[in-house]
C-alpha cells in the first residue's frame, strides 16, 4: 500500500522560506516520478515541481528559481525547499507518485505580510 505523508507547512512571512517533506512508504521515491502540486482556495490543482527517476527536475514558471525539489533515498523522503515566498504561494501542498496517482493529506502553507 502506497502512503505519502506531507509535513513542514505553516505560516510564513513574505520573502520567507520553508522546507516541505513527504515521507513515502510502499514505494521508493528514487524509483518513481514524484511531484509536488498545490491547491489554493477556489483554484484547481496546480503543478509545482517534478523529479524523475534519473533525477531530472522540472518546475512551474511561477516557482522557478525559488523552489527546489529533491529526495533522500535513505530516508525515502521527497522535499520541496521554498524560498522568497510570495502571497500567491499560499495553498495546500501535496506530493504525488505519478505512477500510482497517490497523494498524501497535504500540508498548508500560508504566506502573509
Amino acid at each position: 500500500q502506497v502512503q505519502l505523508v506531507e509535513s513542514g507547512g505553516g505560516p510564513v512571512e513574505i520573502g520567507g522560506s520553508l522546507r516541505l517533506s513527504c515521507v513515502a512508504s510502499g514505494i521508493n521515491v528514487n524509483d518513481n516520478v514524484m511531484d509536488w502540486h498545490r491547491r489554493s482556495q477556489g483554484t484547481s490543482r496546480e503543478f509545482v515541481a517534478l523529479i524523475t527517476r534519473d533525477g531530472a527536475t522540472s518546475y512551474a514558471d511561477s516557482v522557478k528559481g525559488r523552489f527546489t525539489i529533491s529526495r533522500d533515498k535513505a530516508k525515502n523522503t521527497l522535499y520541496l525547499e521554498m524560498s522568497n515566498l510570495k502571497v500567491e504561494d499560499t495553498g495546500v501542498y501535496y506530493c504525488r507518485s505519478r505512477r500510482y496517482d497517490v497523494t498524501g493529506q497535504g500540508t498548508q502553507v500560508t504566506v502573509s505580510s
Side-chain angles (χ1 to χ4, degrees):
Q1 182 181 3
V2 178
Q3 285 192 316
L4 302 171
V5 180
E6 302 95 337
S7 64
V12 63
E13 292 185 347
I14 294 172
S17 301
L18 282 174
R19 186 176 80 158
L20 307 184
S21 299
C22 169
V23 178
S25 59
I27 61 168
N28 293 319
V29 296
N30 260 42
D31 296 335
N32 285 270
V33 177
M34 304 291 296
D35 71 36
W36 287 96
H37 58 277
R38 65 190 180 193
R39 287 185 186 270
S40 303
Q41 194 169 11
T43 67
S44 58
R45 187 172 72 183
E46 177 188 9
F47 167 76
V48 174
L50 172 150
I51 186 164
T52 70
R53 292 165 57 184
D54 295 334
T57 57
S58 176
Y59 299 92
D61 287 343
S62 60
V63 307
K64 204 170 292 184
R66 300 188 297 120
F67 289 13
T68 303
I69 187 171
S70 64
R71 61 194 178 194
D72 185 322
K73 181 179 180 179
K75 295 182 179 179
N76 205 24
T77 299
L78 183 73
Y79 299 102
L80 186 68
E81 298 269 4
M82 308 186 296
S83 63
N84 192 18
L85 283 161
K86 304 177 181 180
V87 171
E88 50 265 41
D89 294 319
T90 294
V92 180
Y93 285 70
Y94 302 86
C95 64
R96 183 173 69 129
S97 157
R98 289 205 167 186
R99 177 180 180 183
Y100 295 97
D101 196 22
V102 171
T103 65
Q105 82 291 345
T107 185
Q108 174 73 47
V109 173
T110 303
V111 186
S112 60
S113 57

